[in-house]
Amino acid sequence: MPVSLHLSSPVRAALDQHQPIVALESTLITHGLPRPVNLEVARRLEALVRETGATPATIAILAGELYAGLEPDQLERLANTDNVRKVSRRDLPIVTAQQGHGATTVAATMWVAAQAGIKVFATGGIGGVHRGQPFDVSADLPELAQTSVVVVCAGAKAILDLPLTLEWLETHGVPVLGFGTDTFPAFYSRSSSLPVDARCNTAEEAARIIRAKFELGLPGGVLIGVPIPEEYAVANEDIEPAILQALKMAEAENVRGKAMTPFLLKHVSELTAGESQKANIALLENNARVAAQIARALTT
Ligand code: PSU
Ligand code: MN
């Protein structure tokens, strides 16, 4: 374990006693949600994981040090600091060497979780292959192919090319499971109509497949798609115009690289007003609960 990986005392205790732990990412706190909801949601996700019988481990980088599990004042500092760096895999050495603050993406959160020995991670949506840009592939995808952490998400946003994203995962051997669904969820929408590799109706069923993957010695993670709770789902046709407009704006403003995903997310969220934010929070909470159930099923 690298010297600069700090574990909170509850996370350390849970690891020592082989108790269930759920990693939580921090890019959604700094780049995904506005203040002050970002801190409220970050706290609520931790509380929901605890209520479901697991220990939360929010992952972030503070002054160049890696943390798995934040103290309440550290979480508050992260949520209220300006210009925190969005840290994916390639940014890890930069932010640690420069002793900066960093919010970890799915890729970087998976990597830190794996270093800590944490097996299950809950997030909102993963990155993927961008529409019309088949070479703009999020580092989240190769991370899923190489790092043995289970990622519980609500699928991926339709700002991405979902068929190409699933093709990429298939090529690189990442099992994609549907939690109570036969199709890959599309974040705001419960279904993308693209089939998953297997449907699991319970956390125990998911745990059996996850355990089998680890026992076979197959490297890489497992992706679990949990549909957004019905009452918060937004129809595809209600979101699509906002996505198309955001894509046009990105092109007009020449947005590139790591700025692309936050740019699209921000504009889709603005263009769809409060509706998308409510949905976002509902699915994050749901995913935290499901991840805690799966983490528990894996320890029994
Ligand atoms: N998708 C969302 N919300 C998010 C992200 C993606 O709906 O907050 C964030 C996650 O942290 C994800 C990252 O890992 O964006 C992907 O960024 P990129 O496409 O630059 O790899
Ligand atoms: Mn990219």
Side-chain angles (χ1 to χ4, degrees), residues 240-283:
E240 188 62 20
I243 293 173
L244 294 175
Q245 195 177 329
L247 287 166
K248 247 191 242 157
M249 288 163 77
E251 202 179 311
E253 294 181 32
N254 212 12
V255 180
R256 292 276 179 275
K258 69 192 281 191
M260 181 60 92
T261 298
F263 180 94
L264 295 174
L265 297 178
K266 177 166 174 274
H267 289 283
V268 169
S269 150
E270 281 169 9
L271 292 165
T272 55
E275 194 174 15
S276 62
Q277 193 185 99
K278 255 193 262 162
N280 203 343
I281 294 170
L283 65 84

Side-chain angles (χ1 to χ4, degrees), residues 193-206:
S193 358
L194 300 161
V196 291
D197 302 318
R199 173 187 181 129
C200 300
N201 290 321
T202 63
E204 288 68 29
E205 268 181 61

Side-chain angles (χ1 to χ4, degrees), residues 25-29 31-33 86 88 104-109 123-128 130 136-140 155-157 159-160 187-188 257-262 265 280:
E25 66 149 304
S26 42
T27 295
L28 73 95
I29 305 172
H31 293 68
L33 291 166
K86 171 183 163 189
S88 194
T104 49
T105 63
V106 169
T109 305
T123 186
I126 58 158
H130 280 266
D136 185 352
V137 178
S138 170
D140 294 353
K157 278 198 182 128
I159 57 166
L160 300 171
F187 203 86
Y188 296 121
K258 69 192 281 191
M260 181 60 92
T261 298
L265 297 178
N280 203 343

